[in-house]
Amino acid sequence: MKSIIGQPATRQDAKLKVTGAAKYSAEFALPNMAYAVLVTAPVGRGTIRNLDVAQARGTTGVLAVISYQDKPQLRALDPKAMAKAQAQTGEGLLPFQSPDIVYNGQAIAVVVADTYERARYAATLVKADIDALPPSTTLRDTPHIDAPASIHGSPAQIMRGTPDAAYANAPRKIEATYHTTNEHHNPIEPHANVAHFHDGGLTVYQATQGTSPPQATLAYLFELAPEKVRVINYFTGGGFGCKGTGAWGHDIACAIASRAVGRPVKLALMRQQMFAGVGHRGETEMAMQVGTDADGKMEMLAMKTLTQGHQNQPQFFETAGLMSNVMYPAPNYEMAHRVARNNIAPPTYMRAPGEAPGAFGLECAMDEMAAELGMDPLKFRMQNYAGVDPDSGLPFSSKQLQKCYERGAQLIGWDARQQQPRQTREGRYLIGYGMASATYPANRQPASANCRIYGDGRAVSACNGVDIGTGAYTVFRQVAADTLGFPLYKVVFELGDSKLPTAPQAGGSWLTASVAPAVVEACEMAMRDVAQMATKDRRSPLFGRKLDEIKFQNGLAVLKSDSGKGEALSAIVKRSGKPFVEACCRAETMMSAKNNEGLKQKTKAPCAIIDPDAEVDKDDAKYSFHSFGAQFCKLRVDEEMGTIRLLDWAVVMDAGRILNHRTARSQILGGVGFGIGMALSEETLYDPNTARPYIRNLADYHVAVNGDVPRIQVEFVEVPDPHINSVGCRGIGEIGIVGVPAAIANAVFNATGKRLRDLPLTPDKFV
Ligand code: MOS
């Protein structure tokens, strides 16, 4: 039978979404529900001298106005205790605990009323008397710049050899500084929450990328046992990282409001409120140096980054230098990260955090170096290809980047590119070709999944992860159906409820690679359990047989020696009188399995903790795990107008085995579109006097629209990764954006001879 894995199956949730039946967080309406609206700080830095809430409180329908004056009870933020509880807040700040203001847009009060309109009106009546201090809003106007020691446990500062001396002595070299701007995720679905304290517990419908982090975080903050907190989120209208934390201030405020008024409360952010307090991509500056020998062999590489951070959220910053540590084998190397902590709201993960800005610096610098050498930039990269991880010296688990380069060049027609800029004209336009590499770490987290085989021929498999629009429902359904040998339409995959077996959040491009092996194992366990029942059932043709005499095919359990002898799994379940047979499995990751940590962890009964990848050598001490890809574009520039129009795109990705060609292609289309927005138009600007984002709606914040996006040719190399997991798949949610702005800027150089090093590439940059 042809594998269901890889097929371009349509989305399990497609019909629900196109008919409007898919319910998003803001659409849940509970009986007796009240509505909350935030009052936010109008300055970037200061202290509230007095907050006048009397008028708001006296307004018809208002149930509560809560601020620092009330200091609602919350467990204090204690990094150690939170790490243990796996709790995390997006802004590193608890709402309404103090009169201090640390960013513009910070929640300073929440107004709760019986209708949304009344709450929104009353919120306008809250008067804050503030001692404001001048805020810092750039990378340069803050005195608080530090050099973090580590990034997710690995070093944030690396020095190999003598990069300064190597640069001074390099026969050929370039040096340039690149800049990316503040950006916002702007998912179509703004953040929303419906919180309900009841029966000693808390249920929330939260727009989130995973149900476990909010469950752990709200349990921690409200001092509840985690099992007393239930988080539901069946559908997400885009996450891109901004819904990838346990709780933002508004999530906490919503639960505070429900506790205070004793009713379910809904709090939905307005689009304007999406520009502070729910994270963004911080501004990043990258100083690059590349030095080669006379033939273009790289002798040194330095990438020194400065990026925006916030004092309240020390852990997160754009790890823009990391990509330089993976791509090119430079014997003399420096990677440095500096973080400028200013009064813009705390930044957070945004699609390919680190690599998205990092690739702009790194891959433009490669293009500049190639131009300096008079060499084709593709040839320059091939010549400096990292056969092993340049930092650790470990082999890559699987790296097919060379094939990506070759195929991408074919698809875009790279042969037509002229090495010298300004050689190709079409009427008033200059034509250019550009390319860039992409990479993203291939991570995994421990994940559980279950499988139920029913007597009527159906199966249901589930975990508590969230489909943020990626196609998670669909690919896990395929993995389950394929493992069970059931037709796709007989299998349903469930997600989005913290009660289901624990899975990681959809972030870090790790959901698929983490959950898929757990689904395989849970389904296989369920099949074995069902077959076991048959061996003990006199009515079964498998009666008296041993499990190892039995194999599974097309939803049947049959004898290995005689595949004509056996019966359908569903028939065995049906005869047993049980409604279903269920198995649950927790798949370990490289680290947790190696340290045997996973085996000590508690799981939800009846989940078995095993290593479903036992046959896979996934030892992370032996391999370096990354996805790779190549971006190619053709564009035209109108020099008089300073405008860029993309004409064609080709992207080839190496992400291991592809589970669904339709949803995988969509992920890459979305990533490239996201990158085109980053390259050409997306930018959040701030008023230096108040730190207020004055770009704060989708009319002023320009995401790429259809008119900006050309044909995008997407291909995958599709060599299964033999080491990452038993399925062979790596993640693809983020890598699609990586390298897009660099490919565009490099093509602009090829067209015009002008280097643009400051995103976005708006017409003024041509002046
Ligand atoms: Mo991703 S930026 O880790 O949701």
Side-chain angles (χ1 to χ4, degrees):
M1 199 174 99
K2 201 173 169 196
S3 174
I4 295 174
I5 295 180
Q7 296 293 310
T10 51
R11 288 176 189 253
Q12 178 180 294
D13 47 344
K15 191 173 170 191
L16 292 174
K17 283 187 170 169
V18 298
T19 58
K23 232 170 162 182
Y24 294 78
S25 297
E27 297 178 305
F28 285 87
L30 304 183
N32 199 32
M33 188 167 74
Y35 298 83
V37 170
L38 295 178
V39 179
T40 57
V43 303
R45 194 171 152 229
T47 306
I48 306 172
R49 202 183 311 135
N50 184 46
L51 197 71
D52 183 357
V53 299
Q55 210 189 337
R57 272 198 184 130
T59 302
T60 308
V62 169
L63 303 166
V65 180
I66 302 159
S67 72
Y68 74 93
Q69 293 165 343
D70 309 283
K71 204 167 189 284
Q73 171 74 34
L74 292 169
R75 186 170 172 192
L77 298 178
D78 169 356
K80 253 193 176 158
M82 289 175 75
K84 192 160 171 243
Q86 300 189 307
Q88 40 173 238
T89 66
E91 55 183 352
L93 172 73
L94 294 180
F96 322 135
Q97 302 297 302
S98 105
D100 295 338
I101 294 170
V102 296
Y103 69 87
N104 190 313
Q106 178 186 330
I108 56 173
V110 61
V111 177
V112 196
D114 57 355
T115 71
Y116 171 69
E117 291 75 12
R118 284 169 165 171
R120 190 164 172 181
Y121 170 65
T124 68
L125 303 176
V126 175
K127 297 276 181 300
D129 184 5
I130 297 168
D131 282 327
L133 293 164
S136 58
T137 58
T138 71
L139 298 177
R140 299 288 169 195
D141 67 356
T142 171
H144 306 290
I145 296 183
D146 54 77
S150 68
I151 299 169
H152 311 307
S154 39
Q157 322 290 340
I158 296 177
M159 180 80 86
R160 217 167 38 229
T162 51
D164 287 347
Y167 184 75
N169 298 327
R172 310 296 290 272
K173 56 188 141 189
I174 62 106
E175 155 171 68
T177 298
Y178 303 85
H179 179 254
T180 64
T181 190
N182 293 295
E183 290 186 283
H184 278 84
H185 312 68
N186 275 310
I188 284 299
E189 177 207 21
H191 289 251
N193 202 318
V194 176
H196 188 198
F197 270 94
H198 62 103
D199 309 319
L202 172 64
T203 299
V204 302
Y205 300 83
Q206 178 173 326
T208 177
Q209 292 177 215
T211 60
S212 284
Q215 180 187 34
T217 305
L218 295 169
Y220 175 89
L221 295 174
F222 291 90
E223 302 182 83
L224 295 164
E227 57 274 16
K228 284 288 190 188
V229 179
R230 184 174 178 195
V231 180
I232 292 170
N233 184 43
Y234 301 123
F235 302 100
T236 309
F240 314 119
C242 67
K243 293 168 184 161
T245 189
W248 289 105
H250 72 273
D251 294 313
I252 304 167
C254 187
I256 288 172
S258 171
R259 186 177 61 179
V261 303
R263 291 165 64 165
V265 172
K266 177 184 293 186
L267 194 163
L269 294 190
M270 293 169 246
R271 181 58 65 181
Q272 292 94 319
Q273 293 174 325
M274 294 290 291
F275 285 80
V278 290
H280 64 279
R281 195 196 297 286
E283 181 186 5
T284 302
E285 195 179 277
M286 295 163 281
M288 305 295 311
Q289 287 178 319
V290 190
T292 71
D293 67 12
D295 302 322
K297 185 171 176 299
M298 205 180 292
E299 290 183 341
M300 71 77 59
L301 172 63
M303 182 159 193
K304 299 175 194 172
T305 75
L306 174 67
T307 187
Q308 186 247 337
H310 197 278
Q311 67 194 54
N312 282 87
Q313 207 0 331
Q315 304 86 358
F316 180 79
F317 59 93
E318 281 298 318
T319 51
L322 288 185
M323 183 170 172
S324 69
N325 200 25
V326 174
M327 289 302 300
Y328 304 104
N332 299 286
Y333 173 72
E334 180 173 6
M335 175 185 85
H337 288 98
R338 298 285 181 277
V339 183
R341 306 195 185 272
N342 63 24
N343 302 112
I344 289 178
T348 196
Y349 307 91
M350 179 164 163
R351 204 170 198 170
E355 279 75 1
F360 181 62
L362 182 68
E363 291 297 296
C364 286
M366 291 304 138
D367 201 77
E368 298 209 30
M369 188 67 236
E372 164 67 22
L373 291 159
M375 194 185 281
D376 180 309
L378 187 52
K379 184 169 170 234
F380 176 66
R381 285 174 175 82
M382 297 275 220
Q383 187 169 307
N384 290 286
Y385 194 81
V388 297
D389 183 318
D391 186 44
S392 61
L394 296 175
F396 292 105
S397 59
S398 174
K399 179 177 177 180
Q400 315 297 330
L401 177 57
Q402 193 164 332
K403 289 183 196 145
C404 299
Y405 285 149
E406 285 162 2
R407 182 62 183 149
Q410 259 177 5
L411 290 172
I412 204 74
W414 191 250
D415 286 349
R417 176 186 181 272
Q418 301 293 315
Q419 174 64 20
Q420 285 302 313
R422 302 187 71 83
Q423 300 302 302
T424 314
R425 276 182 190 277
E426 270 175 27
R428 62 181 290 161
Y429 304 114
L430 284 161
I431 306 292
Y433 291 82
M435 58 84 53
S437 319
T439 188
Y440 201 73
N443 291 315
R444 270 185 67 181
Q445 301 285 328
S448 317
N450 70 7
C451 173
R452 290 178 174 182
I453 298 174
Y454 286 80
D456 63 1
R458 291 176 307 123
V460 176
S461 180
C463 71
N464 79 0
V466 165
D467 186 333
I468 60 173
T470 56
Y473 276 116
T474 313
V475 299
F476 297 146
R477 179 196 205 189
Q478 286 174 273
V479 171
D482 188 75
T483 309
L484 293 164
F486 284 21
L488 196 61
Y489 72 94
K490 291 284 193 187
V491 179
V492 166
F493 202 89
E494 293 178 347
L495 290 161
D497 185 336
S498 59
K499 276 179 143 176
L500 296 168
T502 305
Q505 64 172 335
S509 293
W510 58 46
L511 188 70
T512 301
S514 305
V515 171
V519 173
V520 169
E521 188 62 30
C523 291
E524 286 182 348
M525 283 172 71
M527 289 157 74
R528 286 195 297 269
D529 289 351
V530 172
Q532 191 84 57
M533 286 160 53
T535 63
K536 292 175 186 153
D537 182 346
R538 291 185 174 281
R539 292 164 293 180
S540 171
L542 301 171
F543 176 68
R545 298 295 187 154
K546 291 202 169 59
L547 207 48
D548 60 15
E549 293 176 79
I550 295 170
K551 66 176 179 177
F552 301 97
Q553 60 184 37
N554 302 337
L556 307 171
V558 297
L559 286 181
K560 285 178 182 166
S561 57
D562 176 5
S563 57
K565 201 163 180 197
E567 59 180 331
L569 295 167
S570 57
I572 301 167
V573 176
K574 190 170 183 184
R575 204 169 49 234
S576 75
K578 296 181 185 173
F580 56 80
V581 170
E582 176 174 4
C584 181
C585 163
R586 177 179 151 110
E588 289 307 327
T589 62
M590 305 164 234
M591 279 313 286
S592 65
K594 197 170 67 183
N595 301 340
N596 223 7
E597 263 170 30
L599 303 178
K600 287 183 225 144
Q601 296 213 9
K602 269 174 44 183
T603 61
K604 288 174 193 168
C607 232
I609 304 178
I610 55 155
D611 184 353
D613 305 314
E615 77 283 12
V616 175
D617 180 3
K618 60 189 164 111
D619 189 341
D620 69 345
K622 285 198 209 155
Y623 303 101
S624 178
F625 293 85
H626 296 269
S627 285
F628 291 96
Q631 308 272 9
F632 287 83
C633 71
K634 178 184 180 186
L635 53 71
R636 71 177 196 218
V637 176
D638 181 329
E639 272 199 305
E640 267 174 61
M641 301 295 287
T643 51
I644 299 165
R645 172 72 63 189
L646 287 160
L647 300 174
D648 200 3
W649 202 278
V651 45
V652 183
M653 287 291 168
D654 158 30
R657 187 173 180 196
I658 297 303
L659 302 188
N660 179 320
H661 276 84
R662 185 192 306 268
T663 54
R665 175 173 176 273
S666 288
Q667 285 279 67
I668 302 304
L669 291 179
V672 172
F674 219 86
I676 291 172
M678 180 182 186
L680 299 183
S681 56
E682 291 186 40
E683 177 164 39
T684 307
L685 297 165
Y686 293 84
D687 172 1
N689 299 310
T690 62
R692 174 180 183 269
Y694 62 78
I695 301 291
R696 47 180 213 140
N697 57 50
L698 293 178
D700 295 331
Y701 189 91
H702 294 168
V703 300
V705 296
N706 284 343
D708 300 313
V709 178
R711 167 175 80 154
I712 302 176
Q713 307 174 75
V714 182
E715 288 194 9
F716 297 97
V717 176
E718 281 202 89
V719 175
D721 188 320
H723 303 297
I724 181 107
N725 55 34
S726 60
V727 179
C729 62
R730 297 193 298 256
I732 47 170
E734 302 181 85
I735 192 171
I737 186 178
V738 180
V740 171
I744 293 174
N746 295 340
V748 168
F749 174 77
N750 183 242
T752 65
K754 195 168 174 63
R755 286 288 174 193
L756 301 184
R757 303 188 180 97
D758 182 18
L759 296 185
L761 308 180
T762 42
D764 54 299
K765 305 284 167 67
F766 280 92
V767 176

